[in-house]
Amino acid sequence: MIKQEKYKDYLFLPFRDATNEKETYGGEKYMDLKIPKGNTIVLDFNQSYQPFCAYNAYDYNCPVVPEENKLPVEIRAGVMYEDIYHH
């Protein structure tokens, strides 16, 4: 997508937090951001969402979250998750 002009300033941010595997999907959460013109970016965790593989593990593979994107705090924002596979 990055080769397409309309996505040139988009940033994909996968992350994990302390709610993963407890209150949210065990894998990760995602945010789609715009690359800022300056040196600061505002993260609105209310815009975070679960990956497609959280809802359909048979048809989707999710990227692995880099270690530096694992947050030691709980982010209780964004789309909530109901585990349809293990209920």
Side-chain angles (χ1 to χ4, degrees), residues 14-28:
F15 69 96
R16 289 181 55 107
D17 66 84
T19 67
N20 288 110
E21 297 181 17
K22 297 176 196 165
E23 299 173 23
T24 61
Y25 173 63
E28 60 271 317

Side-chain angles (χ1 to χ4, degrees), residues 4-87:
Q4 296 178 29
E5 182 65 24
K6 66 181 178 178
Y7 295 112
K8 70 178 182 179
D9 63 347
Y10 275 54
L11 176 65
F12 172 70
L13 177 63
F15 69 96
R16 289 181 55 107
D17 66 84
T19 67
N20 288 110
E21 297 181 17
K22 297 176 196 165
E23 299 173 23
T24 61
Y25 173 63
E28 60 271 317
K29 298 176 190 174
Y30 296 158
M31 290 176 63
D32 296 319
L33 307 164
K34 286 203 172 214
I35 298 171
K37 299 218 184 291
N39 295 326
T40 303
I41 189 166
V42 175
L43 301 178
D44 181 355
F45 288 100
N46 287 309
Q47 300 298 316
S48 64
Y49 61 94
Q50 306 296 333
F52 290 134
C53 61
Y55 305 104
N56 189 341
Y58 302 108
D59 293 330
Y60 295 99
N61 292 320
C62 289
V64 176
V65 175
E67 196 62 36
E68 59 268 19
N69 289 16
K70 294 180 180 176
L71 306 174
V73 296
E74 293 180 339
I75 304 294
R76 291 193 167 141
V79 175
M80 297 304 292
Y81 174 71
E82 181 178 336
D83 188 342
I84 61 172
Y85 297 107
H86 300 101
H87 280 186

